[in-house]
Coordinates of all heavy atoms in Angstrom, one line a residue:
Y22 N 165.4 86.6 -114.5 CA 166.8 86.6 -113.9 C 167.8 86.3 -115.0 O 167.5 85.5 -115.9 CB 166.9 85.5 -112.8 CG 166.0 85.6 -111.6 CD1 164.7 85.1 -111.7 CD2 166.4 86.3 -110.5 CE1 163.9 85.2 -110.6 CE2 165.5 86.4 -109.4 CZ 164.3 85.8 -109.5 OH 163.4 85.9 -108.4
G23 N 169.0 86.9 -114.9 CA 170.0 86.6 -115.9 C 171.3 86.2 -115.2 O 171.7 86.9 -114.2
A24 N 172.0 85.2 -115.6 CA 173.3 84.8 -115.0 C 174.4 85.7 -115.6 O 174.7 85.5 -116.8 CB 173.5 83.3 -115.3
F25 N 175.0 86.5 -114.8 CA 176.1 87.4 -115.3 C 177.3 87.2 -114.4 O 177.3 86.5 -113.4 CB 175.6 88.8 -115.3 CG 174.6 89.2 -116.3 CD1 173.2 89.0 -116.1 CD2 175.0 89.7 -117.6 CE1 172.3 89.3 -117.0 CE2 174.1 90.0 -118.5 CZ 172.7 89.8 -118.3
L26 N 178.4 87.9 -114.7 CA 179.6 88.0 -113.8 C 179.4 88.9 -112.7 O 180.3 89.0 -111.8 CB 180.8 88.3 -114.7 CG 181.2 87.3 -115.8 CD1 182.4 87.8 -116.6 CD2 181.5 85.9 -115.1
E27 N 178.3 89.7 -112.7 CA 178.0 90.6 -111.6 C 176.5 90.5 -111.3 O 175.8 90.0 -112.1 CB 178.4 92.0 -111.9 CG 177.5 92.8 -112.9 CD 177.7 92.3 -114.3 OE1 178.7 91.8 -114.7 OE2 176.7 92.5 -115.1
G28 N 176.1 91.0 -110.1 CA 174.7 91.0 -109.8 C 174.6 90.4 -108.4 O 175.5 90.3 -107.6
D29 N 173.3 90.0 -108.0 CA 173.1 89.5 -106.7 C 173.7 88.1 -106.5 O 173.6 87.3 -107.4 CB 171.5 89.4 -106.5 CG 170.8 90.7 -106.5 OD1 171.5 91.7 -106.2 OD2 169.6 90.7 -106.8
D30 N 174.3 87.9 -105.3 CA 174.9 86.6 -105.0 C 173.8 85.6 -105.0 O 172.8 85.7 -104.3 CB 175.5 86.7 -103.6 CG 176.3 85.5 -103.2 OD1 175.9 84.4 -103.6 OD2 177.2 85.6 -102.4
V31 N 173.9 84.5 -105.7 CA 172.8 83.4 -105.8 C 172.6 82.8 -104.4 O 171.5 82.3 -104.2 CB 173.2 82.3 -106.8 CG1 173.2 82.8 -108.2 CG2 174.5 81.6 -106.4
H32 N 173.5 82.9 -103.5 CA 173.3 82.2 -102.2 C 172.4 83.1 -101.3 O 171.9 82.5 -100.3 CB 174.7 82.0 -101.5 CG 175.6 81.2 -102.3 ND1 175.3 80.0 -102.8 CD2 176.9 81.4 -102.7 CE1 176.3 79.4 -103.4 NE2 177.3 80.3 -103.4
S33 N 172.2 84.3 -101.6 CA 171.4 85.2 -100.8 C 170.4 86.0 -101.6 O 169.9 87.0 -101.1 CB 172.3 86.1 -99.9 OG 173.2 86.9 -100.8
A34 N 170.2 85.6 -102.8 CA 169.4 86.4 -103.7 C 167.9 86.4 -103.4 O 167.2 87.3 -103.7 CB 169.5 85.9 -105.2
G35 N 167.4 85.4 -102.6 CA 166.0 85.3 -102.3 C 165.1 85.2 -103.5 O 164.3 86.1 -103.7
F36 N 165.3 84.2 -104.3 CA 164.5 84.0 -105.5 C 163.0 84.0 -105.2 O 162.6 83.4 -104.3 CB 164.9 82.7 -106.2 CG 166.3 82.7 -106.8 CD1 167.4 82.2 -106.0 CD2 166.5 83.1 -108.1 CE1 168.6 82.2 -106.6 CE2 167.8 83.1 -108.6 CZ 168.9 82.6 -107.9
A37 N 162.3 84.6 -106.1 CA 160.8 84.5 -106.1 C 160.4 83.0 -106.5 O 161.2 82.3 -107.0 CB 160.2 85.4 -107.1
Q38 N 159.2 82.7 -106.1 CA 158.7 81.3 -106.4 C 158.7 81.1 -107.9 O 158.9 79.9 -108.4 CB 157.4 81.1 -105.8 CG 156.9 79.6 -105.9 CD 155.5 79.4 -105.2 OE1 154.9 80.4 -104.8 NE2 155.1 78.2 -105.1
A39 N 158.3 82.1 -108.6 CA 158.2 81.9 -110.1 C 159.1 82.9 -110.8 O 159.5 83.9 -110.2 CB 156.7 82.2 -110.5
G40 N 159.5 82.6 -112.0 CA 160.3 83.4 -112.8 C 161.0 82.7 -113.9 O 160.7 81.5 -114.2
I41 N 161.9 83.3 -114.6 CA 162.6 82.8 -115.7 C 164.1 83.1 -115.5 O 164.5 84.2 -115.2 CB 162.2 83.3 -117.1 CG1 160.7 83.1 -117.3 CG2 163.1 82.7 -118.2 CD1 160.2 83.9 -118.5
V42 N 165.0 82.1 -115.5 CA 166.4 82.3 -115.4 C 167.1 82.1 -116.8 O 166.9 81.0 -117.4 CB 167.0 81.3 -114.4 CG1 168.6 81.4 -114.4 CG2 166.5 81.5 -113.0
V43 N 167.7 83.1 -117.3 CA 168.4 83.1 -118.6 C 169.9 82.6 -118.4 O 170.6 83.3 -117.6 CB 168.3 84.4 -119.3 CG1 169.0 84.3 -120.7 CG2 166.9 84.9 -119.4
M44 N 170.3 81.6 -119.1 CA 171.7 81.2 -119.1 C 172.2 81.5 -120.5 O 171.6 81.2 -121.5 CB 171.8 79.7 -118.8 CG 171.1 79.2 -117.5 SD 171.8 80.0 -116.0 CE 173.5 79.5 -116.1
G45 N 173.4 82.1 -120.5 CA 174.0 82.5 -121.7 C 174.9 81.5 -122.5 O 175.2 80.5 -121.9
N46 N 175.2 81.9 -123.7 CA 176.1 81.1 -124.5 C 177.4 80.8 -123.8 O 178.0 81.6 -123.1 CB 176.4 81.9 -125.8 CG 177.4 81.3 -126.7 OD1 178.6 81.6 -126.6 ND2 177.0 80.4 -127.6
E47 N 178.0 79.6 -124.1 CA 179.2 79.2 -123.4 C 180.4 80.2 -123.5 O 181.2 80.3 -122.6 CB 179.6 77.8 -123.9 CG 178.7 76.7 -123.6 CD 177.7 76.4 -124.7 OE1 177.3 77.3 -125.5 OE2 177.2 75.3 -124.8
A48 N 180.5 80.8 -124.7 CA 181.7 81.7 -124.9 C 181.3 83.1 -124.7 O 182.2 83.9 -124.2 CB 182.2 81.5 -126.3

């Protein structure tokens, strides 16, 4: 998973039990 300004809404994304979430640089 990657945190972007667009994509699936986190409130209804239905995350899998396992995975990797990538968080980007502050700027």
